[in-house]
Amino acid sequence: PWARDEPLSAEDRAGLLAMFMREFDEGVDFVMGIFLKETGEYMGGTGLHTRLGEGILETGYWIAADRQRNGYVTEAVTALTQIAIDFAGAERIEIHHLPRNLHSRAIPERCGYTYEGRHETLMPGVEELEATDIWVATSDNLREGLLASTSRPLLFDATGAPLAWPA
Protein backbone atom coordinates (compact mmCIF):
# COMPACT_ATOMS: atom_id res chain seq x y z
CA PRO A 1 0.00 0.00 0.00
CA TRP A 2 2.86 2.45 0.69
CA ALA A 3 3.82 2.33 -2.99
CA ARG A 4 0.37 3.07 -4.40
CA ASP A 5 0.99 6.82 -4.47
CA GLU A 6 4.31 6.57 -6.33
CA PRO A 7 5.98 8.47 -7.78
CA LEU A 8 6.15 10.95 -4.90
CA SER A 9 7.23 14.55 -5.18
CA ALA A 10 10.56 15.45 -3.55
CA GLU A 11 8.65 17.20 -0.75
CA ASP A 12 6.39 14.21 -0.10
CA ARG A 13 9.40 11.84 -0.22
CA ALA A 14 11.23 13.95 2.36
CA GLY A 15 8.16 13.86 4.60
CA LEU A 16 7.88 10.08 4.24
CA LEU A 17 11.54 9.58 5.13
CA ALA A 18 11.21 11.92 8.12
CA MET A 19 8.24 9.87 9.34
CA PHE A 20 10.20 6.59 8.89
CA MET A 21 13.11 8.00 10.94
CA ARG A 22 10.82 9.41 13.66
CA GLU A 23 8.92 6.12 14.02
CA PHE A 24 12.20 4.18 14.11
CA ASP A 25 13.56 6.43 16.88
CA GLU A 26 10.27 6.12 18.82
CA GLY A 27 10.29 2.30 18.54
CA VAL A 28 6.99 2.32 16.66
CA ASP A 29 8.04 1.00 13.26
CA PHE A 30 11.38 -0.01 11.79
CA VAL A 31 11.63 0.74 8.07
CA MET A 32 15.04 -0.02 6.56
CA GLY A 33 16.74 0.15 3.20
CA ILE A 34 18.42 -2.67 1.30
CA PHE A 35 21.77 -1.53 -0.10
CA LEU A 36 24.33 -3.28 -2.28
CA LYS A 37 27.29 -3.96 0.00
CA GLU A 38 29.96 -3.31 -2.64
CA THR A 39 28.71 0.09 -3.81
CA GLY A 40 26.15 1.32 -1.28
CA GLU A 41 23.52 1.49 -4.06
CA TYR A 42 19.93 1.58 -2.79
CA MET A 43 18.12 -1.52 -4.10
CA GLY A 44 14.96 -1.78 -2.03
CA GLY A 45 13.33 -1.65 1.35
CA THR A 46 12.25 -3.85 4.21
CA GLY A 47 11.51 -3.48 7.90
CA LEU A 48 9.92 -4.77 11.05
CA HIS A 49 6.44 -3.48 11.79
CA THR A 50 4.67 -3.51 15.17
CA ARG A 51 1.09 -3.02 13.90
CA LEU A 52 -0.04 -6.62 14.60
CA GLY A 53 0.15 -6.38 18.38
CA GLU A 54 2.23 -7.49 21.34
CA GLY A 55 4.86 -10.14 20.59
CA ILE A 56 4.30 -10.07 16.81
CA LEU A 57 6.44 -8.33 14.22
CA GLU A 58 5.58 -8.18 10.54
CA THR A 59 8.14 -7.88 7.78
CA GLY A 60 7.61 -6.71 4.26
CA TYR A 61 9.96 -6.09 1.37
CA TRP A 62 10.42 -4.46 -1.99
CA ILE A 63 13.36 -4.77 -4.38
CA ALA A 64 14.07 -2.95 -7.65
CA ALA A 65 13.13 -5.01 -10.72
CA ASP A 66 16.73 -5.13 -11.97
CA ARG A 67 17.89 -6.58 -8.61
CA GLN A 68 15.26 -9.32 -8.29
CA ARG A 69 16.18 -13.02 -8.25
CA ASN A 70 19.63 -12.46 -6.76
CA GLY A 71 18.83 -13.56 -3.19
CA TYR A 72 18.95 -10.08 -1.66
CA VAL A 73 15.41 -10.19 -0.25
CA THR A 74 15.86 -13.75 0.99
CA GLU A 75 19.03 -12.63 2.80
CA ALA A 76 17.27 -9.59 4.31
CA VAL A 77 14.22 -11.56 5.47
CA THR A 78 16.38 -14.32 6.93
CA ALA A 79 18.41 -11.79 8.93
CA LEU A 80 15.33 -9.84 10.07
CA THR A 81 13.60 -13.04 11.15
CA GLN A 82 16.55 -14.04 13.31
CA ILE A 83 16.80 -10.53 14.75
CA ALA A 84 13.07 -10.30 15.45
CA ILE A 85 12.86 -13.62 17.29
CA ASP A 86 16.27 -14.07 18.90
CA PHE A 87 17.25 -10.45 19.56
CA ALA A 88 14.04 -8.39 19.74
CA GLY A 89 12.09 -11.13 21.56
CA ALA A 90 9.17 -11.43 19.14
CA GLU A 91 7.12 -14.59 19.60
CA ARG A 92 6.32 -14.67 15.90
CA ILE A 93 7.09 -12.80 12.75
CA GLU A 94 4.59 -12.61 9.89
CA ILE A 95 4.74 -11.96 6.17
CA HIS A 96 1.52 -10.85 4.44
CA HIS A 97 1.20 -10.69 0.66
CA LEU A 98 -1.50 -10.56 -1.97
CA PRO A 99 -2.19 -14.06 -3.39
CA ARG A 100 -1.39 -12.97 -6.94
CA ASN A 101 2.10 -11.80 -5.93
CA LEU A 102 4.01 -15.03 -6.58
CA HIS A 103 7.42 -13.35 -6.20
CA SER A 104 6.52 -12.26 -2.67
CA ARG A 105 5.18 -15.75 -1.90
CA ALA A 106 8.52 -17.31 -2.88
CA ILE A 107 10.35 -15.49 -0.06
CA PRO A 108 8.61 -17.05 2.97
CA GLU A 109 8.57 -20.42 1.21
CA ARG A 110 12.32 -20.19 0.62
CA CYS A 111 13.00 -19.00 4.18
CA GLY A 112 11.08 -21.85 5.80
CA TYR A 113 8.08 -19.92 7.09
CA THR A 114 4.85 -21.80 7.80
CA TYR A 115 1.83 -20.95 5.64
CA GLU A 116 -1.00 -19.96 7.96
CA GLY A 117 -3.65 -19.43 5.29
CA ARG A 118 -5.58 -16.86 3.34
CA HIS A 119 -7.46 -14.23 5.31
CA GLU A 120 -9.50 -11.17 4.45
CA THR A 121 -7.50 -8.34 5.99
CA LEU A 122 -7.39 -4.58 5.95
CA MET A 123 -3.95 -3.68 4.68
CA PRO A 124 -2.43 -0.43 5.98
CA GLY A 125 -3.52 2.51 3.86
CA VAL A 126 -6.26 0.51 2.10
CA GLU A 127 -9.94 1.12 2.78
CA GLU A 128 -11.37 -2.24 1.68
CA LEU A 129 -10.70 -5.82 2.78
CA GLU A 130 -8.35 -7.82 0.57
CA ALA A 131 -7.49 -11.50 0.46
CA THR A 132 -4.02 -11.84 1.98
CA ASP A 133 -1.78 -14.88 2.33
CA ILE A 134 -0.14 -15.02 5.76
CA TRP A 135 3.11 -16.79 6.59
CA VAL A 136 4.54 -17.17 10.11
CA ALA A 137 7.93 -17.92 11.64
CA THR A 138 8.53 -18.70 15.30
CA SER A 139 11.51 -19.96 17.24
CA ASP A 140 10.62 -23.43 15.92
CA ASN A 141 11.34 -22.23 12.36
CA LEU A 142 14.78 -21.04 13.47
CA ARG A 143 15.69 -24.66 14.19
CA GLU A 144 14.73 -25.95 10.71
CA GLY A 145 15.46 -25.24 7.04
CA LEU A 146 17.17 -22.14 5.71
CA LEU A 147 16.64 -20.15 8.89
CA ALA A 148 18.52 -22.78 10.91
CA SER A 149 21.34 -23.21 8.39
CA THR A 150 22.11 -19.50 7.93
CA SER A 151 24.59 -17.81 10.24
CA ARG A 152 23.30 -14.98 12.37
CA PRO A 153 23.86 -11.45 11.07
CA LEU A 154 26.31 -9.15 12.80
CA LEU A 155 24.63 -6.53 14.98
CA PHE A 156 25.89 -3.04 15.82
CA ASP A 157 24.59 -0.16 17.89
CA ALA A 158 24.27 3.42 16.62
CA THR A 159 27.96 4.12 17.33
CA GLY A 160 29.10 1.09 15.34
CA ALA A 161 30.00 -0.99 18.40
CA PRO A 162 29.20 -4.69 18.01
CA LEU A 163 26.22 -6.06 19.93
CA ALA A 164 26.20 -9.59 21.35
CA TRP A 165 23.36 -11.97 20.63
CA PRO A 166 21.33 -13.05 23.66
CA ALA A 167 22.46 -16.32 25.22
Side-chain angles (χ1 to χ4, degrees):
W2 57 268
R4 291 182 181 176
D5 294 329
E6 290 290 347
L8 295 177
S9 67
E11 182 180 330
D12 288 343
R13 173 93 48 227
L16 181 63
L17 292 173
M19 180 191 73
F20 288 163
M21 290 186 288
R22 183 181 66 254
E23 289 180 345
F24 195 103
D25 290 344
E26 293 171 354
V28 174
D29 206 34
F30 306 95
V31 174
M32 298 171 233
I34 300 173
F35 300 87
L36 188 60
K37 183 178 182 177
E38 295 78 16
T39 65
E41 172 193 353
Y42 173 73
M43 298 187 299
T46 189
L48 293 170
H49 311 292
T50 63
R51 60 182 158 247
L52 297 175
E54 187 76 26
I56 305 170
L57 289 171
E58 178 186 0
T59 189
Y61 35 84
W62 170 87
I63 192 92
D66 65 338
R67 294 298 182 176
Q68 292 177 2
R69 296 181 188 84
N70 288 297
Y72 299 125
V73 174
T74 300
E75 181 180 359
V77 168
T78 300
L80 285 177
T81 303
Q82 292 172 336
I83 290 166
I85 293 172
D86 278 350
F87 193 79
E91 296 169 20
R92 62 190 269 145
I93 183 166
E94 296 185 8
I95 293 174
H96 298 200
H97 68 84
L98 297 177
R100 67 182 174 271
N101 190 339
L102 300 181
H103 294 298
S104 281
R105 178 186 186 95
I107 300 300
E109 286 178 334
R110 196 175 298 122
C111 291
Y113 275 59
T114 302
Y115 181 64
E116 189 169 79
R118 186 164 291 165
H119 302 275
E120 292 289 321
T121 61
L122 192 60
M123 298 287 278
V126 178
E127 295 182 14
E128 65 278 346
L129 291 173
E130 292 183 281
T132 306
D133 285 346
I134 299 176
W135 297 77
V136 176
T138 65
S139 59
D140 291 341
N141 297 89
L142 293 181
R143 291 188 284 273
E144 305 169 359
L146 180 63
L147 291 172
S149 65
T150 304
S151 60
R152 290 178 170 180
L154 300 175
L155 301 176
F156 300 90
D157 68 13
T159 68
L163 295 173
W165 281 89

